[in-house]
Amino acid sequence: MPDNARVSIPSAFLQELLARADLVEVIGRHVALRKSGANYLGLCPFHAEKSPSFTVSPAKQFYHCFGCGAHGNAIDFLMAHTGAGFREAVHDLAAQLGLTVPEDERSPAERAREAAQRQQQASLTDVLARAAQAYRAQLKAAPRAIDYLKGRGLTGQIAKTFGLGYAPPGWRFLSTVFPDYQDARLVEAGLVVASDEDTADGAASQRRHDRFRDRIMFPIRNVKGEVIGFGGRVIDGGEPKYLNSPETALFHKGEELYGLYEARSAIRQAGCALVVEGYMDVVALAQWGLGHAVATLGTACTPDHVRKLLRFTDDVVFAFDGDAAGRRAAQRALAAALPWATDTRRFRFLLLPPEHDPDSYIRAHGAEAFAAALAQATPLSRFVLEVAAEGCDLATAEGRARATAQAQPLWQALPDGALKRQLLHELAELAALEVRDLQQLWHTDARSGRAAAPSARSARSARSAPAATAPPTHRAHADAIAPGAATAATAEVPAAAPPRGRWPARADAATLQARRAARGLLGRADRIARIVLTTPQAWDWLTADDHALLAAEPPPHGPLFAWLEGQWLEHGAQPWAALREALRGQPFEALALALHDSGLGLERVDANAPEVASADHEELRRELRELLRRMRIEALKQLETDLIGRAATDPAALARYRDVVHERRRLQNEDEPV
């Protein structure tokens, strides 16, 4: 580790660390705190006291003791309470949040430039805070603005919470607030507009006027509560309806969210964040008790917006107007959310009726109706299918092909995980393709930049696709990845021709697998299925990762394993007789029967003896571990190929590729199969 004199911690990381830390939680690990109004109260850990005088402000992320004067932020507390040095306290706090502390090896000149930039930002913050105070004062003396806000259902308390103000109609109101109206900081902060003009003697001068005039003012705050910009709304019918601060050294609208500072506690309490489009939507929802709403700032939702929200919650709902513009906004939000949609995060989308936005909807129908609508919001996986199918006639091959092309960038934007694998099966069903054919098609597109030539299997699938009269429905996962539905009769008699209008290519695949199993021609998936079908307790030996790996197998094995997992979760280990009855009518019934029968000859005559049964089970366990190890190796090899194809356009793919290679080699070099 480099010494402290030469290596410092980047200031941007420290700001990020303090923004993400919950001071109440950090201090609560060391001090017993109780709620007292807006703050928390406890006995000061820095001096002996019997009556609590130690307060923690969750809004300001600051603690203060009225007895001894101790005060500071999360890092200050850890240093004072644990005796740690600054770097140690930073590393401790970062570890609590699951962050890695970067090292800063900038030159002194670079650090000096950053220090000057920080000084400039602090100066602009002071200017904006002063303007916000002046606008708030103007609101109290503006009956027309007050009547407008009351007409929108807002109270004085909610206006105070969000710091609402009013910019009077004069061109130079701010000249009465700031002693030097020519101060360059007014322009840099986005409060004043300056334009050059020529004087009579040919000299150049600047003409200045306030940017915001005769508007309700919504101060935009960062997560520390500092004003970094404004949004202004007209009271009467003027244009533009909303006017935002321009991009400044403090304000970047592609990164900031209106209302996030005010909503932080409510987001934690609600367990989710609600993203809307307008300032008034945020304030109105808070007025109705839904304080966990935030809004984008006159721009589409960006990945930076999503990343910032994920500091506070893993559950995000996007609620937009139901008109065409709202739907476009929802699709842009989907694109921003996809790279962050891991298996532990939840994104949902709510499109309101076309005549409503969140503000008008909750005023017309009430908070309970709005909460009920939120509960029915569309999950990300379903919205991906809707967006992929938009404008496509799924009753035709051309329409399904177009939907496939529209789905490709959406699916590829998802991070690797169970969600991505499950969605692949549903998209394959939407396209009337086998999963492997769809993967091959998209992988070839990624490598060559042009459409892949159809494989023989996909050609057969296309020829055998039914003449559908309506788009296929999206069924539950086990059905979505299953081959075409087969009746009990066709399952019992594999050679029977499929009825007209079915999916003969998929039914034939299941039949072929059953015939191969009956002849003893077993692949890895066959052998695993044979073990779990003939040994009721074998499913208990597998881990959740094993279950996911098996369920991701292509049909008919993947659907069979998914079905077996459902049976195991619902009923526990079952004897073959019970499984046999439950299998009737399932599309993989014939395959399961053939695999079970092929395993009967492997049973030992005296298998009921405890010592023999134990030995048999240990042998089966070893076989299962080895089969799954090899299956994982093959899956990782396929993933390596996919990542190499994406590396040219996705820098993260190369790093992921190295991790996958390391894991695959580890599995290949293991002495004891796992």
Side-chain angles (χ1 to χ4, degrees):
M1 170 95 46
D3 61 77
N4 292 349
R6 291 188 296 109
V7 178
S8 63
I9 299 172
S11 59
F13 175 80
L14 293 176
Q15 294 172 6
E16 172 91 353
L17 185 63
L18 291 173
R20 291 190 61 170
D22 183 344
L23 185 60
V24 175
E25 183 179 349
V26 172
I27 295 180
R29 295 191 180 102
H30 307 274
V31 179
L33 299 173
R34 62 177 175 82
K35 194 81 162 60
S36 177
N39 298 325
Y40 286 80
L41 195 63
L43 294 174
C44 180
F46 304 118
H47 80 285
E49 62 177 9
K50 295 182 179 180
S51 299
S53 61
F54 183 82
T55 63
V56 181
S57 170
K60 298 179 180 179
Q61 289 292 292
F62 196 79
Y63 69 88
H64 179 79
C65 177
F66 291 92
C68 68
H71 63 276
N73 56 33
I75 297 174
D76 297 325
F77 177 84
L78 291 174
M79 291 174 63
H81 187 64
T82 66
F86 175 75
R87 296 181 60 81
E88 185 180 353
V90 170
H91 280 269
D92 182 20
L93 184 58
Q96 294 178 28
L97 299 175
L99 301 176
T100 301
V101 180
E103 300 299 341
D104 186 358
E105 299 181 353
R106 297 164 301 165
S107 67
E110 291 173 325
R111 295 179 189 175
R113 282 195 297 270
E114 280 206 6
Q117 184 180 14
R118 287 195 300 271
Q119 180 62 37
Q120 179 199 21
Q121 292 175 344
S123 180
L124 294 182
T125 299
D126 292 339
V127 168
L128 289 165
R130 190 169 179 179
Q133 183 179 13
Y135 291 142
R136 287 196 301 271
Q138 286 296 308
L139 178 61
K140 297 177 182 179
R144 179 164 149 269
I146 293 174
D147 290 343
Y148 171 81
L149 294 176
K150 287 182 177 179
R152 298 297 295 263
L154 303 183
T155 63
Q157 181 57 48
I158 206 72
K160 180 179 179 182
T161 298
F162 285 87
L164 303 188
Y166 174 65
W171 284 85
R172 293 194 173 195
F173 160 69
L174 291 178
S175 65
T176 66
V177 177
F178 296 94
D180 183 8
Y181 194 64
Q182 300 300 316
D183 190 337
R185 295 179 301 170
L186 297 179
V187 176
E188 293 172 7
L191 295 171
V192 168
V193 177
S195 58
D196 293 333
E197 63 177 11
D198 293 332
T199 61
D201 59 1
S205 66
Q206 281 192 332
R207 185 175 181 180
R208 295 184 169 216
H209 60 82
D210 292 359
R211 182 179 300 275
F212 301 100
R213 303 180 305 280
D214 194 20
R215 290 177 180 268
I216 301 293
M217 298 298 289
F218 297 82
I220 302 165
R221 299 168 177 167
N222 59 20
V223 292
K224 294 186 291 184
E226 300 169 338
V227 178
I228 57 175
F230 291 95
R233 192 197 192 284
V234 294
I235 297 178
D236 301 320
E239 291 295 336
K241 181 190 293 186
Y242 282 99
L243 180 64
N244 296 318
S245 291
E247 293 280 317
T248 68
L250 291 177
F251 179 58
H252 306 285
K253 60 185 178 181
E255 301 175 4
E256 302 295 340
L257 290 160
Y258 175 72
L260 181 57
Y261 170 74
E262 293 82 1
R264 291 178 308 163
S265 297
I267 288 173
R268 292 190 178 101
Q269 293 173 6
C272 74
L274 176 60
V275 181
V276 295
E277 287 189 278
Y279 301 97
M280 191 58 73
D281 292 330
V282 172
V283 179
L285 289 171
Q287 179 70 67
W288 284 83
L290 301 175
H292 57 295
V294 299
T296 53
L297 299 166
T299 184
C301 185
T302 68
D304 285 330
H305 288 144
V306 177
R307 176 183 58 83
K308 182 162 287 190
L309 278 176
L310 291 175
R311 299 177 190 172
F312 302 94
T313 181
D314 286 328
D315 190 348
V316 180
V317 183
F318 298 94
F320 297 135
D321 304 357
D323 56 14
R327 187 164 187 85
R328 287 193 299 272
Q331 292 181 8
R332 290 192 289 266
L334 172 65
L338 283 169
W340 303 98
T342 64
D343 296 341
T344 59
R345 291 170 179 159
R346 185 185 187 197
F347 294 97
R348 291 172 288 162
F349 299 82
L350 172 63
L351 292 175
L352 297 170
E355 67 274 14
H356 281 300
D357 56 26
D359 175 23
S360 65
Y361 188 91
I362 199 168
R363 284 192 285 121
H365 301 286
E368 290 187 6
F370 190 81
L374 287 177
Q376 299 299 318
T378 303
L380 177 141
S381 58
R382 191 70 58 232
F383 197 53
V384 167
L385 296 172
E386 292 180 9
V387 173
E390 186 168 351
C392 302
D393 180 4
L394 299 181
T396 66
E398 292 84 355
R400 292 191 294 273
R402 181 181 176 185
T404 303
Q406 293 179 173
Q408 181 179 2
L410 301 175
W411 183 81
Q412 290 179 337
L414 282 166
D416 291 329
L419 174 63
K420 187 172 187 177
R421 294 186 182 188
Q422 293 180 71
L423 193 53
L424 179 66
H425 288 281
E426 297 198 37
L427 290 169
E429 183 187 15
L430 187 75
L433 292 173
E434 296 286 349
V435 171
R436 287 182 177 175
D437 289 334
L438 185 59
Q439 285 181 306
Q440 180 187 12
L441 174 68
W442 284 350
H443 176 59
T444 304
D445 284 349
R447 287 189 302 174
S448 64
R450 60 179 182 272
S455 65
R457 185 189 304 173
S458 62
R460 289 196 301 271
S461 298
R463 286 196 299 270
S464 59
T469 58
T473 57
H474 306 302
R475 300 188 293 273
H477 175 57
D479 292 328
I481 63 177
T487 63
T490 58
E492 292 287 346
V493 187
R500 182 180 299 273
R502 295 295 179 95
W503 297 80
R506 296 189 180 185
D508 289 348
T511 300
L512 178 61
Q513 290 288 349
R515 289 177 177 173
R516 288 172 56 84
R519 297 199 307 269
L521 302 175
L522 304 180
R524 291 193 188 103
D526 295 311
R527 292 162 65 190
I528 294 173
R530 180 176 64 177
I531 292 173
V532 297
L533 287 168
T534 58
T535 311
Q537 60 269 53
W539 200 259
D540 290 327
W541 303 341
L542 304 178
T543 67
D545 288 341
D546 295 334
H547 297 169
L549 180 67
L550 294 173
E553 280 291 291
H557 295 91
L560 171 59
F561 287 125
W563 180 86
L564 284 170
E565 181 177 20
Q567 291 290 312
W568 175 71
L569 289 172
E570 186 173 354
H571 304 291
Q574 299 181 84
W576 168 248
L579 282 177
R580 176 66 190 90
E581 287 303 313
L583 275 166
R584 294 191 184 278
Q586 295 293 338
F588 36 74
E589 179 183 6
L591 174 62
L593 290 174
L595 289 171
H596 177 268
D597 292 345
S598 71
L600 294 181
L602 301 178
E603 293 186 355
R604 301 174 68 134
V605 177
D606 54 351
N608 289 328
E611 65 278 6
V612 176
S614 176
D616 279 349
H617 286 171
E618 185 55 38
E619 183 177 346
L620 288 175
R621 281 175 179 264
R622 284 197 297 269
E623 182 179 357
L624 267 180
R625 288 198 298 268
E626 178 61 15
L627 289 169
L628 286 163
R629 183 178 75 93
R630 293 182 178 276
M631 187 176 285
R632 282 198 180 89
I633 290 172
E634 291 303 317
L636 291 172
K637 286 181 179 178
Q638 179 61 45
L639 182 56
E640 289 173 20
T641 303
D642 295 342
L643 291 170
I644 284 295
R646 290 160 43 193
T649 57
D650 182 5
L654 189 57
R656 173 70 174 143
Y657 169 79
R658 297 191 187 99
D659 293 339
V660 170
V661 170
H662 176 76
E663 175 64 13
R664 191 249 306 161
R665 289 175 178 170
R666 184 187 69 80
L667 287 173
Q668 288 177 327
N669 295 331
E670 281 181 342
D671 295 329
E672 178 66 23
V674 294

